[in-house]
Short mmCIF file of all heavy atoms in Angstrom, two decimals:
data_model
loop_
_atom_site.label_atom_id
_atom_site.label_comp_id
_atom_site.label_asym_id
_atom_site.label_seq_id
_atom_site.Cartn_x
_atom_site.Cartn_y
_atom_site.Cartn_z
N MET O 1 -68.00 -82.97 143.45
CA MET O 1 -67.04 -83.23 142.38
C MET O 1 -67.67 -83.03 141.02
O MET O 1 -68.74 -83.54 140.71
CB MET O 1 -66.54 -84.69 142.49
CG MET O 1 -65.61 -84.92 143.71
SD MET O 1 -64.10 -83.99 143.66
CE MET O 1 -63.08 -85.14 142.77
N ASN O 2 -67.04 -82.25 140.24
CA ASN O 2 -67.50 -82.07 138.86
C ASN O 2 -66.63 -82.83 137.88
O ASN O 2 -65.42 -82.87 138.04
CB ASN O 2 -67.45 -80.59 138.47
CG ASN O 2 -68.48 -79.79 139.24
OD1 ASN O 2 -69.58 -80.30 139.51
ND2 ASN O 2 -68.15 -78.56 139.58
N SER O 3 -67.29 -83.42 136.97
CA SER O 3 -66.52 -84.03 135.86
C SER O 3 -67.02 -83.51 134.54
O SER O 3 -68.21 -83.34 134.34
CB SER O 3 -66.64 -85.56 135.91
OG SER O 3 -67.94 -85.95 135.62
N CYS O 4 -66.08 -83.22 133.71
CA CYS O 4 -66.44 -82.63 132.42
C CYS O 4 -65.80 -83.44 131.31
O CYS O 4 -64.60 -83.68 131.29
CB CYS O 4 -65.95 -81.17 132.37
SG CYS O 4 -66.47 -80.33 130.87
N HIS O 5 -66.65 -83.86 130.39
CA HIS O 5 -66.13 -84.61 129.27
C HIS O 5 -66.35 -83.85 127.97
O HIS O 5 -67.47 -83.46 127.66
CB HIS O 5 -66.84 -85.97 129.15
CG HIS O 5 -66.60 -86.86 130.32
ND1 HIS O 5 -65.44 -87.58 130.48
CD2 HIS O 5 -67.35 -87.10 131.42
CE1 HIS O 5 -65.51 -88.26 131.62
NE2 HIS O 5 -66.67 -87.98 132.21
N SER O 6 -65.32 -83.63 127.30
CA SER O 6 -65.50 -83.05 125.95
C SER O 6 -64.73 -83.89 124.95
O SER O 6 -63.67 -84.45 125.25
CB SER O 6 -65.01 -81.60 125.92
OG SER O 6 -63.64 -81.56 126.15
N ARG O 7 -65.28 -83.95 123.80
CA ARG O 7 -64.69 -84.87 122.80
C ARG O 7 -64.71 -84.22 121.42
O ARG O 7 -65.73 -83.69 120.99
CB ARG O 7 -65.53 -86.13 122.79
CG ARG O 7 -64.93 -87.26 122.04
CD ARG O 7 -65.71 -88.49 122.38
NE ARG O 7 -65.36 -89.61 121.52
CZ ARG O 7 -65.88 -90.80 121.65
NH1 ARG O 7 -66.78 -91.02 122.56
NH2 ARG O 7 -65.54 -91.78 120.84
N PHE O 8 -63.57 -84.25 120.79
CA PHE O 8 -63.49 -83.68 119.44
C PHE O 8 -63.06 -84.76 118.44
O PHE O 8 -62.06 -85.43 118.66
CB PHE O 8 -62.48 -82.53 119.37
CG PHE O 8 -62.92 -81.33 120.18
CD1 PHE O 8 -62.44 -81.15 121.47
CD2 PHE O 8 -63.79 -80.40 119.64
CE1 PHE O 8 -62.84 -80.05 122.20
CE2 PHE O 8 -64.19 -79.30 120.39
CZ PHE O 8 -63.72 -79.12 121.68
N ASP O 9 -63.82 -84.91 117.42
CA ASP O 9 -63.42 -85.81 116.35
C ASP O 9 -63.06 -84.98 115.12
O ASP O 9 -63.94 -84.46 114.44
CB ASP O 9 -64.55 -86.77 115.99
CG ASP O 9 -64.76 -87.79 117.10
OD1 ASP O 9 -63.75 -88.39 117.52
OD2 ASP O 9 -65.90 -87.94 117.56
N ALA O 10 -61.82 -84.83 114.92
CA ALA O 10 -61.40 -84.05 113.75
C ALA O 10 -60.70 -84.96 112.75
O ALA O 10 -59.71 -85.63 113.07
CB ALA O 10 -60.47 -82.93 114.19
N LEU O 11 -61.24 -84.97 111.58
CA LEU O 11 -60.59 -85.73 110.52
C LEU O 11 -60.13 -84.79 109.43
O LEU O 11 -60.93 -83.99 108.91
CB LEU O 11 -61.56 -86.76 109.92
CG LEU O 11 -61.94 -87.96 110.78
CD1 LEU O 11 -63.02 -88.77 110.07
CD2 LEU O 11 -60.72 -88.83 111.04
N SER O 12 -58.89 -84.84 109.13
CA SER O 12 -58.44 -84.03 107.99
C SER O 12 -57.82 -84.95 106.96
O SER O 12 -56.97 -85.77 107.26
CB SER O 12 -57.44 -82.97 108.44
OG SER O 12 -56.27 -83.59 108.93
N GLU O 13 -58.31 -84.80 105.78
CA GLU O 13 -57.76 -85.63 104.68
C GLU O 13 -57.04 -84.76 103.69
O GLU O 13 -57.64 -84.03 102.91
CB GLU O 13 -58.90 -86.39 103.99
CG GLU O 13 -59.49 -87.45 104.88
CD GLU O 13 -60.56 -88.24 104.16
OE1 GLU O 13 -60.48 -88.36 102.92
OE2 GLU O 13 -61.49 -88.73 104.84
N LEU O 14 -55.75 -84.81 103.74
CA LEU O 14 -54.96 -84.06 102.79
C LEU O 14 -54.20 -85.06 101.90
O LEU O 14 -53.56 -85.97 102.39
CB LEU O 14 -53.92 -83.18 103.51
CG LEU O 14 -54.51 -81.99 104.31
CD1 LEU O 14 -53.42 -81.34 105.13
CD2 LEU O 14 -55.13 -80.99 103.36
N ASP O 15 -54.32 -84.84 100.63
CA ASP O 15 -53.65 -85.75 99.69
C ASP O 15 -52.64 -84.99 98.87
O ASP O 15 -52.99 -84.28 97.94
CB ASP O 15 -54.71 -86.40 98.77
CG ASP O 15 -54.10 -87.55 97.98
OD1 ASP O 15 -52.85 -87.66 97.99
OD2 ASP O 15 -54.86 -88.30 97.36
N PRO O 16 -51.37 -85.08 99.22
CA PRO O 16 -50.34 -84.29 98.53
C PRO O 16 -50.18 -84.71 97.08
O PRO O 16 -49.61 -83.97 96.28
CB PRO O 16 -49.05 -84.60 99.33
CG PRO O 16 -49.32 -85.89 100.03
CD PRO O 16 -50.82 -85.91 100.28
N ARG O 17 -50.71 -85.85 96.69
CA ARG O 17 -50.57 -86.29 95.30
C ARG O 17 -51.30 -85.34 94.34
O ARG O 17 -50.93 -85.21 93.19
CB ARG O 17 -51.13 -87.70 95.14
CG ARG O 17 -50.19 -88.75 95.69
CD ARG O 17 -50.81 -90.12 95.63
NE ARG O 17 -52.04 -90.17 96.42
CZ ARG O 17 -52.80 -91.24 96.52
NH1 ARG O 17 -52.49 -92.33 95.88
NH2 ARG O 17 -53.90 -91.23 97.24
N ASP O 18 -52.35 -84.67 94.84
CA ASP O 18 -53.08 -83.74 93.98
C ASP O 18 -52.17 -82.66 93.44
O ASP O 18 -52.19 -82.31 92.28
CB ASP O 18 -54.23 -83.08 94.75
CG ASP O 18 -55.39 -84.04 94.93
OD1 ASP O 18 -55.33 -85.13 94.31
OD2 ASP O 18 -56.32 -83.74 95.67
N ASN O 19 -51.32 -82.11 94.34
CA ASN O 19 -50.42 -81.05 93.92
C ASN O 19 -49.42 -81.52 92.87
O ASN O 19 -49.14 -80.82 91.91
CB ASN O 19 -49.63 -80.54 95.13
CG ASN O 19 -50.29 -79.32 95.72
OD1 ASN O 19 -50.95 -78.60 95.01
ND2 ASN O 19 -50.10 -79.10 97.01
N ILE O 20 -48.90 -82.72 93.08
CA ILE O 20 -47.91 -83.26 92.14
C ILE O 20 -48.52 -83.43 90.77
O ILE O 20 -47.92 -83.11 89.74
CB ILE O 20 -47.36 -84.60 92.67
CG1 ILE O 20 -46.51 -84.32 93.93
CG2 ILE O 20 -46.52 -85.29 91.59
CD1 ILE O 20 -46.13 -85.57 94.70
N GLN O 21 -49.79 -83.88 90.75
CA GLN O 21 -50.46 -84.05 89.44
C GLN O 21 -50.63 -82.74 88.75
O GLN O 21 -50.45 -82.63 87.52
CB GLN O 21 -51.80 -84.74 89.64
CG GLN O 21 -51.68 -86.25 89.63
CD GLN O 21 -53.00 -86.95 89.85
OE1 GLN O 21 -54.02 -86.31 90.07
NE2 GLN O 21 -52.99 -88.26 89.81
N VAL O 22 -51.00 -81.69 89.48
CA VAL O 22 -51.16 -80.37 88.87
C VAL O 22 -49.86 -79.90 88.26
O VAL O 22 -49.80 -79.43 87.14
CB VAL O 22 -51.69 -79.36 89.90
CG1 VAL O 22 -51.61 -77.94 89.34
CG2 VAL O 22 -53.11 -79.70 90.28
N GLU O 23 -48.76 -80.06 89.04
CA GLU O 23 -47.47 -79.63 88.52
C GLU O 23 -47.10 -80.40 87.26
O GLU O 23 -46.59 -79.84 86.31
CB GLU O 23 -46.38 -79.89 89.58
CG GLU O 23 -46.20 -78.70 90.51
CD GLU O 23 -45.18 -79.00 91.60
OE1 GLU O 23 -44.23 -79.72 91.32
OE2 GLU O 23 -45.38 -78.49 92.72
N ARG O 24 -47.36 -81.69 87.28
CA ARG O 24 -47.03 -82.50 86.11
C ARG O 24 -47.80 -82.04 84.88
O ARG O 24 -47.27 -82.00 83.79
CB ARG O 24 -47.34 -83.97 86.42
CG ARG O 24 -46.99 -84.89 85.30
CD ARG O 24 -46.78 -86.29 85.82
NE ARG O 24 -45.63 -86.36 86.70
CZ ARG O 24 -44.83 -87.43 86.80
NH1 ARG O 24 -45.09 -88.49 86.08
NH2 ARG O 24 -43.83 -87.45 87.62
N MET O 25 -49.05 -81.64 85.10
CA MET O 25 -49.85 -81.17 83.97
C MET O 25 -49.25 -79.90 83.38
O MET O 25 -49.24 -79.71 82.17
CB MET O 25 -51.28 -80.89 84.41
CG MET O 25 -52.18 -82.12 84.29
SD MET O 25 -53.81 -81.79 84.97
CE MET O 25 -54.37 -80.47 83.88
N ILE O 26 -48.78 -79.00 84.27
CA ILE O 26 -48.19 -77.77 83.78
C ILE O 26 -46.91 -78.08 82.99
O ILE O 26 -46.69 -77.54 81.90
CB ILE O 26 -47.87 -76.82 84.98
CG1 ILE O 26 -49.18 -76.35 85.60
CG2 ILE O 26 -47.02 -75.64 84.51
CD1 ILE O 26 -49.01 -75.64 86.94
N ILE O 27 -46.10 -78.97 83.53
CA ILE O 27 -44.85 -79.32 82.87
C ILE O 27 -45.12 -79.93 81.50
O ILE O 27 -44.38 -79.64 80.55
CB ILE O 27 -44.05 -80.32 83.74
CG1 ILE O 27 -43.49 -79.59 84.97
CG2 ILE O 27 -42.91 -80.95 82.95
CD1 ILE O 27 -42.93 -80.52 86.01
N MET O 28 -46.17 -80.72 81.38
CA MET O 28 -46.42 -81.43 80.14
C MET O 28 -47.29 -80.65 79.14
O MET O 28 -47.79 -81.20 78.20
CB MET O 28 -47.05 -82.78 80.44
CG MET O 28 -46.04 -83.76 81.03
SD MET O 28 -44.50 -83.78 80.05
CE MET O 28 -43.59 -85.06 80.89
N THR O 29 -47.48 -79.36 79.39
CA THR O 29 -48.26 -78.56 78.46
C THR O 29 -47.54 -78.45 77.10
O THR O 29 -46.36 -78.15 77.03
CB THR O 29 -48.47 -77.13 79.01
OG1 THR O 29 -49.15 -77.23 80.25
CG2 THR O 29 -49.28 -76.28 78.03
N LYS O 30 -48.29 -78.72 76.02
CA LYS O 30 -47.72 -78.60 74.68
C LYS O 30 -47.80 -77.15 74.22
O LYS O 30 -48.72 -76.43 74.59
CB LYS O 30 -48.50 -79.50 73.71
CG LYS O 30 -48.33 -80.98 74.01
CD LYS O 30 -49.20 -81.80 73.08
CE LYS O 30 -49.09 -83.29 73.40
NZ LYS O 30 -50.04 -84.09 72.59
N TYR O 31 -46.86 -76.77 73.36
CA TYR O 31 -46.85 -75.42 72.82
C TYR O 31 -46.90 -75.49 71.30
O TYR O 31 -46.24 -76.33 70.70
CB TYR O 31 -45.60 -74.65 73.29
CG TYR O 31 -45.78 -74.02 74.65
CD1 TYR O 31 -45.80 -74.81 75.80
CD2 TYR O 31 -45.99 -72.66 74.79
CE1 TYR O 31 -45.99 -74.24 77.04
CE2 TYR O 31 -46.16 -72.08 76.04
CZ TYR O 31 -46.17 -72.87 77.17
OH TYR O 31 -46.36 -72.30 78.39
N VAL O 32 -47.67 -74.61 70.73
CA VAL O 32 -47.88 -74.63 69.29
C VAL O 32 -47.23 -73.40 68.65
O VAL O 32 -47.39 -72.28 69.13
CB VAL O 32 -49.39 -74.65 68.94
CG1 VAL O 32 -49.58 -74.79 67.45
CG2 VAL O 32 -50.09 -75.76 69.70
N CYS O 33 -46.52 -73.62 67.54
CA CYS O 33 -45.92 -72.53 66.81
C CYS O 33 -47.02 -71.73 66.10
O CYS O 33 -47.86 -72.30 65.39
CB CYS O 33 -44.94 -73.09 65.77
SG CYS O 33 -44.24 -71.81 64.69
N GLY O 34 -47.06 -70.43 66.34
CA GLY O 34 -48.10 -69.58 65.75
C GLY O 34 -47.89 -69.35 64.26
O GLY O 34 -48.78 -68.85 63.59
N ILE O 35 -46.72 -69.70 63.73
CA ILE O 35 -46.42 -69.46 62.32
C ILE O 35 -46.81 -70.68 61.47
O ILE O 35 -47.57 -70.59 60.52
CB ILE O 35 -44.93 -69.15 62.10
CG1 ILE O 35 -44.42 -68.10 63.09
CG2 ILE O 35 -44.68 -68.74 60.64
CD1 ILE O 35 -44.92 -66.71 62.87
N CYS O 36 -46.30 -71.87 61.88
CA CYS O 36 -46.46 -73.05 61.01
C CYS O 36 -47.31 -74.14 61.66
O CYS O 36 -47.68 -75.11 60.99
CB CYS O 36 -45.09 -73.62 60.62
SG CYS O 36 -44.27 -74.47 62.00
N GLY O 37 -47.62 -74.02 62.95
CA GLY O 37 -48.45 -75.03 63.60
C GLY O 37 -47.70 -76.19 64.18
O GLY O 37 -48.30 -77.15 64.67
N TYR O 38 -46.36 -76.15 64.13
CA TYR O 38 -45.57 -77.21 64.76
C TYR O 38 -45.90 -77.28 66.24
O TYR O 38 -46.03 -76.25 66.90
CB TYR O 38 -44.07 -76.94 64.54
CG TYR O 38 -43.15 -77.76 65.42
CD1 TYR O 38 -42.76 -79.03 65.03
CD2 TYR O 38 -42.66 -77.24 66.64
CE1 TYR O 38 -41.91 -79.78 65.84
CE2 TYR O 38 -41.80 -78.00 67.44
CZ TYR O 38 -41.45 -79.26 67.04
OH TYR O 38 -40.60 -80.00 67.83
N VAL O 39 -46.04 -78.50 66.78
CA VAL O 39 -46.36 -78.67 68.19
C VAL O 39 -45.12 -79.13 68.94
O VAL O 39 -44.54 -80.17 68.60
CB VAL O 39 -47.51 -79.67 68.40
CG1 VAL O 39 -47.78 -79.89 69.88
CG2 VAL O 39 -48.77 -79.19 67.69
N TYR O 40 -44.71 -78.36 69.95
CA TYR O 40 -43.64 -78.80 70.84
C TYR O 40 -44.25 -79.63 71.94
O TYR O 40 -45.06 -79.13 72.73
CB TYR O 40 -42.85 -77.62 71.44
CG TYR O 40 -41.82 -78.10 72.44
CD1 TYR O 40 -40.62 -78.61 72.02
CD2 TYR O 40 -42.11 -78.11 73.81
CE1 TYR O 40 -39.68 -79.12 72.91
CE2 TYR O 40 -41.20 -78.62 74.72
CZ TYR O 40 -39.99 -79.12 74.27
OH TYR O 40 -39.08 -79.63 75.17
N ASP O 41 -43.87 -80.91 72.02
CA ASP O 41 -44.37 -81.82 73.05
C ASP O 41 -43.26 -82.08 74.07
O ASP O 41 -42.25 -82.68 73.73
CB ASP O 41 -44.82 -83.12 72.39
CG ASP O 41 -45.48 -84.07 73.41
OD1 ASP O 41 -45.31 -83.87 74.63
OD2 ASP O 41 -46.16 -85.01 72.95
N PRO O 42 -43.43 -81.59 75.33
CA PRO O 42 -42.37 -81.75 76.34
C PRO O 42 -41.98 -83.20 76.56
O PRO O 42 -40.84 -83.47 76.92
CB PRO O 42 -43.01 -81.17 77.61
CG PRO O 42 -44.08 -80.27 77.14
CD PRO O 42 -44.60 -80.87 75.87
N ALA O 43 -42.91 -84.14 76.34
CA ALA O 43 -42.58 -85.56 76.54
C ALA O 43 -41.56 -86.02 75.49
O ALA O 43 -40.79 -86.93 75.74
CB ALA O 43 -43.86 -86.38 76.44
N LEU O 44 -41.60 -85.40 74.31
CA LEU O 44 -40.70 -85.79 73.22
C LEU O 44 -39.49 -84.90 73.15
O LEU O 44 -38.41 -85.33 72.69
CB LEU O 44 -41.46 -85.74 71.88
CG LEU O 44 -42.72 -86.59 71.79
CD1 LEU O 44 -43.42 -86.35 70.47
CD2 LEU O 44 -42.41 -88.07 71.94
N GLY O 45 -39.64 -83.63 73.58
CA GLY O 45 -38.54 -82.68 73.44
C GLY O 45 -38.22 -82.44 71.97
O GLY O 45 -39.08 -82.62 71.10
N ASP O 46 -36.98 -82.05 71.69
CA ASP O 46 -36.54 -81.84 70.31
C ASP O 46 -35.08 -82.27 70.23
O ASP O 46 -34.18 -81.43 70.13
CB ASP O 46 -36.73 -80.37 69.92
CG ASP O 46 -36.37 -80.13 68.45
OD1 ASP O 46 -36.26 -81.13 67.69
OD2 ASP O 46 -36.19 -78.96 68.08
N PRO O 47 -34.86 -83.60 70.34
CA PRO O 47 -33.48 -84.13 70.45
C PRO O 47 -32.58 -83.68 69.31
O PRO O 47 -31.39 -83.50 69.50
CB PRO O 47 -33.68 -85.65 70.41
CG PRO O 47 -35.11 -85.87 70.81
CD PRO O 47 -35.88 -84.66 70.33
N ASP O 48 -33.14 -83.48 68.09
CA ASP O 48 -32.34 -83.07 66.95
C ASP O 48 -31.69 -81.70 67.20
O ASP O 48 -30.68 -81.35 66.61
CB ASP O 48 -33.21 -82.97 65.69
CG ASP O 48 -33.62 -84.36 65.20
OD1 ASP O 48 -33.00 -85.34 65.66
OD2 ASP O 48 -34.54 -84.44 64.39
N ASN O 49 -32.31 -80.92 68.09
CA ASN O 49 -31.81 -79.59 68.35
C ASN O 49 -31.35 -79.43 69.82
O ASN O 49 -31.35 -78.31 70.37
CB ASN O 49 -32.87 -78.53 68.03
CG ASN O 49 -33.17 -78.51 66.53
OD1 ASN O 49 -32.32 -78.11 65.74
ND2 ASN O 49 -34.33 -78.96 66.13
N GLY O 50 -31.01 -80.55 70.44
CA GLY O 50 -30.39 -80.50 71.76
C GLY O 50 -31.37 -80.35 72.91
O GLY O 50 -30.95 -80.00 74.01
N VAL O 51 -32.66 -80.59 72.68
CA VAL O 51 -33.62 -80.53 73.78
C VAL O 51 -34.05 -81.95 74.13
O VAL O 51 -34.66 -82.64 73.33
CB VAL O 51 -34.85 -79.68 73.40
CG1 VAL O 51 -35.82 -79.58 74.57
CG2 VAL O 51 -34.44 -78.28 72.95
N ASP O 52 -33.70 -82.36 75.35
CA ASP O 52 -33.97 -83.72 75.77
C ASP O 52 -35.47 -83.98 75.98
O ASP O 52 -36.19 -83.06 76.40
CB ASP O 52 -33.26 -84.02 77.10
CG ASP O 52 -31.74 -84.08 76.92
OD1 ASP O 52 -31.29 -84.42 75.81
OD2 ASP O 52 -31.03 -83.75 77.89
N PRO O 53 -35.94 -85.21 75.72
CA PRO O 53 -37.32 -85.56 76.04
C PRO O 53 -37.58 -85.32 77.52
O PRO O 53 -36.70 -85.54 78.35
CB PRO O 53 -37.38 -87.06 75.74
CG PRO O 53 -36.30 -87.28 74.73
CD PRO O 53 -35.21 -86.31 75.07
N GLY O 54 -38.78 -84.80 77.86
CA GLY O 54 -39.13 -84.50 79.25
C GLY O 54 -38.79 -83.07 79.64
O GLY O 54 -38.92 -82.72 80.81
N THR O 55 -38.37 -82.25 78.70
CA THR O 55 -38.04 -80.84 78.99
C THR O 55 -39.28 -79.97 78.84
O THR O 55 -39.83 -79.88 77.73
CB THR O 55 -36.95 -80.32 78.03
OG1 THR O 55 -35.83 -81.19 78.09
CG2 THR O 55 -36.53 -78.91 78.41
N PRO O 56 -39.76 -79.34 79.93
CA PRO O 56 -40.90 -78.43 79.80
C PRO O 56 -40.52 -77.22 78.93
O PRO O 56 -39.34 -76.85 78.89
CB PRO O 56 -41.20 -78.00 81.24
CG PRO O 56 -40.02 -78.35 82.05
CD PRO O 56 -39.27 -79.43 81.31
N PHE O 57 -41.49 -76.67 78.23
CA PHE O 57 -41.21 -75.57 77.30
C PHE O 57 -40.47 -74.44 78.00
O PHE O 57 -39.61 -73.77 77.41
CB PHE O 57 -42.52 -75.07 76.69
CG PHE O 57 -42.30 -74.14 75.51
CD1 PHE O 57 -41.88 -74.64 74.30
CD2 PHE O 57 -42.51 -72.76 75.63
CE1 PHE O 57 -41.67 -73.81 73.20
CE2 PHE O 57 -42.30 -71.91 74.55
CZ PHE O 57 -41.88 -72.44 73.33
N ASP O 58 -40.83 -74.26 79.27
CA ASP O 58 -40.17 -73.28 80.12
C ASP O 58 -38.65 -73.41 80.15
O ASP O 58 -37.93 -72.42 80.26
CB ASP O 58 -40.69 -73.52 81.55
CG ASP O 58 -41.11 -72.25 82.21
OD1 ASP O 58 -41.58 -71.37 81.50
OD2 ASP O 58 -40.93 -72.16 83.44
N LYS O 59 -38.20 -74.66 80.10
CA LYS O 59 -36.78 -74.95 80.29
C LYS O 59 -36.05 -75.10 78.95
O LYS O 59 -34.84 -75.34 78.93
CB LYS O 59 -36.61 -76.25 81.08
CG LYS O 59 -37.16 -76.17 82.49
CD LYS O 59 -36.17 -75.45 83.42
CE LYS O 59 -36.60 -75.60 84.88
NZ LYS O 59 -37.71 -74.67 85.22
N VAL O 60 -36.77 -74.96 77.85
CA VAL O 60 -36.13 -74.99 76.54
C VAL O 60 -35.24 -73.75 76.42
O VAL O 60 -35.66 -72.66 76.81
CB VAL O 60 -37.21 -75.00 75.42
CG1 VAL O 60 -36.58 -74.82 74.05
CG2 VAL O 60 -38.01 -76.31 75.47
N PRO O 61 -34.03 -73.90 75.91
CA PRO O 61 -33.11 -72.73 75.79
C PRO O 61 -33.75 -71.58 75.07
O PRO O 61 -34.52 -71.78 74.11
CB PRO O 61 -31.92 -73.30 74.99
CG PRO O 61 -31.95 -74.77 75.20
CD PRO O 61 -33.40 -75.14 75.41
N ALA O 62 -33.44 -70.35 75.48
CA ALA O 62 -34.06 -69.16 74.92
C ALA O 62 -33.72 -69.00 73.44
O ALA O 62 -34.48 -68.38 72.70
CB ALA O 62 -33.63 -67.91 75.68
N ASP O 63 -32.60 -69.59 73.00
CA ASP O 63 -32.22 -69.42 71.60
C ASP O 63 -32.74 -70.56 70.72
O ASP O 63 -32.41 -70.65 69.55
CB ASP O 63 -30.70 -69.27 71.46
CG ASP O 63 -29.94 -70.50 72.01
OD1 ASP O 63 -30.59 -71.42 72.55
OD2 ASP O 63 -28.70 -70.50 71.91
N TRP O 64 -33.55 -71.43 71.31
CA TRP O 64 -34.18 -72.49 70.53
C TRP O 64 -35.20 -71.90 69.57
O TRP O 64 -35.88 -70.94 69.94
CB TRP O 64 -34.84 -73.51 71.48
CG TRP O 64 -35.56 -74.64 70.79
CD1 TRP O 64 -35.00 -75.82 70.36
CD2 TRP O 64 -36.95 -74.72 70.46
NE1 TRP O 64 -35.98 -76.61 69.79
CE2 TRP O 64 -37.17 -75.98 69.83
CE3 TRP O 64 -38.04 -73.85 70.64
CZ2 TRP O 64 -38.43 -76.37 69.38
CZ3 TRP O 64 -39.29 -74.26 70.18
CH2 TRP O 64 -39.47 -75.49 69.58
N VAL O 65 -35.24 -72.43 68.36
CA VAL O 65 -36.24 -71.93 67.40
C VAL O 65 -37.03 -73.11 66.86
O VAL O 65 -36.62 -74.26 66.95
CB VAL O 65 -35.58 -71.16 66.22
CG1 VAL O 65 -34.91 -69.90 66.73
CG2 VAL O 65 -34.61 -72.05 65.47
N CYS O 66 -38.18 -72.80 66.30
CA CYS O 66 -39.05 -73.82 65.68
C CYS O 66 -38.25 -74.58 64.62
O CYS O 66 -37.67 -73.99 63.73
CB CYS O 66 -40.27 -73.14 65.04
SG CYS O 66 -41.31 -74.29 64.11
N PRO O 67 -38.20 -75.93 64.75
CA PRO O 67 -37.42 -76.73 63.80
C PRO O 67 -38.01 -76.72 62.38
O PRO O 67 -37.32 -77.10 61.44
CB PRO O 67 -37.46 -78.15 64.41
CG PRO O 67 -38.62 -78.15 65.33
CD PRO O 67 -38.83 -76.74 65.80
N ILE O 68 -39.23 -76.29 62.24
CA ILE O 68 -39.88 -76.28 60.91
C ILE O 68 -39.67 -74.93 60.21
O ILE O 68 -39.20 -74.87 59.08
CB ILE O 68 -41.41 -76.55 61.01
CG1 ILE O 68 -41.68 -77.84 61.80
CG2 ILE O 68 -42.02 -76.61 59.62
CD1 ILE O 68 -41.15 -79.12 61.18
N CYS O 69 -40.00 -73.84 60.91
CA CYS O 69 -40.01 -72.54 60.23
C CYS O 69 -39.00 -71.56 60.82
O CYS O 69 -38.81 -70.47 60.26
CB CYS O 69 -41.42 -71.93 60.24
SG CYS O 69 -41.91 -71.35 61.88
N GLY O 70 -38.36 -71.90 61.94
CA GLY O 70 -37.33 -71.04 62.50
C GLY O 70 -37.87 -69.91 63.36
O GLY O 70 -37.12 -69.01 63.73
N ALA O 71 -39.16 -69.94 63.70
CA ALA O 71 -39.72 -68.90 64.59
C ALA O 71 -39.13 -69.04 65.99
O ALA O 71 -38.81 -70.15 66.41
CB ALA O 71 -41.25 -69.03 64.64
N ASP O 72 -38.98 -67.94 66.71
CA ASP O 72 -38.42 -68.04 68.06
C ASP O 72 -39.50 -68.43 69.08
O ASP O 72 -40.68 -68.52 68.76
CB ASP O 72 -37.67 -66.77 68.46
CG ASP O 72 -38.54 -65.53 68.38
OD1 ASP O 72 -39.78 -65.66 68.53
OD2 ASP O 72 -37.99 -64.43 68.17
N LYS O 73 -39.06 -68.64 70.33
CA LYS O 73 -39.97 -69.12 71.38
C LYS O 73 -41.18 -68.22 71.56
O LYS O 73 -42.24 -68.68 71.96
CB LYS O 73 -39.19 -69.26 72.70
CG LYS O 73 -38.38 -70.55 72.81
CD LYS O 73 -37.73 -70.67 74.18
CE LYS O 73 -38.74 -71.09 75.26
NZ LYS O 73 -38.09 -71.25 76.58
N ASP O 74 -41.01 -66.93 71.33
CA ASP O 74 -42.10 -65.98 71.54
C ASP O 74 -43.29 -66.26 70.63
O ASP O 74 -44.40 -65.82 70.90
CB ASP O 74 -41.61 -64.56 71.31
CG ASP O 74 -40.69 -64.08 72.41
OD1 ASP O 74 -40.67 -64.72 73.49
OD2 ASP O 74 -39.97 -63.10 72.21
N SER O 75 -43.02 -66.97 69.53
CA SER O 75 -44.10 -67.26 68.57
C SER O 75 -44.94 -68.42 69.01
O SER O 75 -45.95 -68.73 68.35
CB SER O 75 -43.50 -67.53 67.19
OG SER O 75 -42.74 -66.43 66.75
N PHE O 76 -44.54 -69.11 70.08
CA PHE O 76 -45.28 -70.27 70.55
C PHE O 76 -46.29 -69.89 71.62
O PHE O 76 -46.06 -68.98 72.41
CB PHE O 76 -44.32 -71.33 71.12
CG PHE O 76 -43.61 -72.13 70.04
CD1 PHE O 76 -42.59 -71.53 69.29
CD2 PHE O 76 -43.98 -73.42 69.77
CE1 PHE O 76 -41.93 -72.26 68.30
CE2 PHE O 76 -43.32 -74.16 68.77
CZ PHE O 76 -42.30 -73.56 68.05
N SER O 77 -47.43 -70.60 71.63
CA SER O 77 -48.40 -70.39 72.71
C SER O 77 -48.90 -71.78 73.18
O SER O 77 -48.90 -72.73 72.43
CB SER O 77 -49.54 -69.52 72.20
OG SER O 77 -50.01 -69.98 70.98
N PRO O 78 -49.38 -71.81 74.44
CA PRO O 78 -49.85 -73.09 75.00
C PRO O 78 -51.00 -73.65 74.16
O PRO O 78 -51.87 -72.90 73.71
CB PRO O 78 -50.35 -72.73 76.39
CG PRO O 78 -49.71 -71.41 76.72
CD PRO O 78 -49.50 -70.71 75.40
N GLU O 79 -50.99 -74.97 73.99
CA GLU O 79 -52.04 -75.60 73.20
C GLU O 79 -53.37 -75.55 73.93
O GLU O 79 -53.41 -75.77 75.12
CB GLU O 79 -51.69 -77.05 72.93
CG GLU O 79 -52.62 -77.72 71.93
CD GLU O 79 -52.19 -79.16 71.67
OE1 GLU O 79 -51.83 -79.88 72.61
OE2 GLU O 79 -52.18 -79.54 70.49
ZN1 ZN B 101 -42.93 -72.97 63.21
#
């Protein structure tokens, strides 16, 4: 009679929270106006111009312009 014992100890640690944090960081990226230096902060949005707080720059309407100097979205770059 033969008996064979094999044993595998496999531990995998995956933490899905890491991904969520990365996404949150991308969403909360601030954008700076290249003309006047105004900073768009996604946490604050631009309620005076119809952009709710928590809106990532990505989701700001294409016709939104800098509230200070009137530059369009193309003039903004990530901080
Ligand atoms: Zn500006």
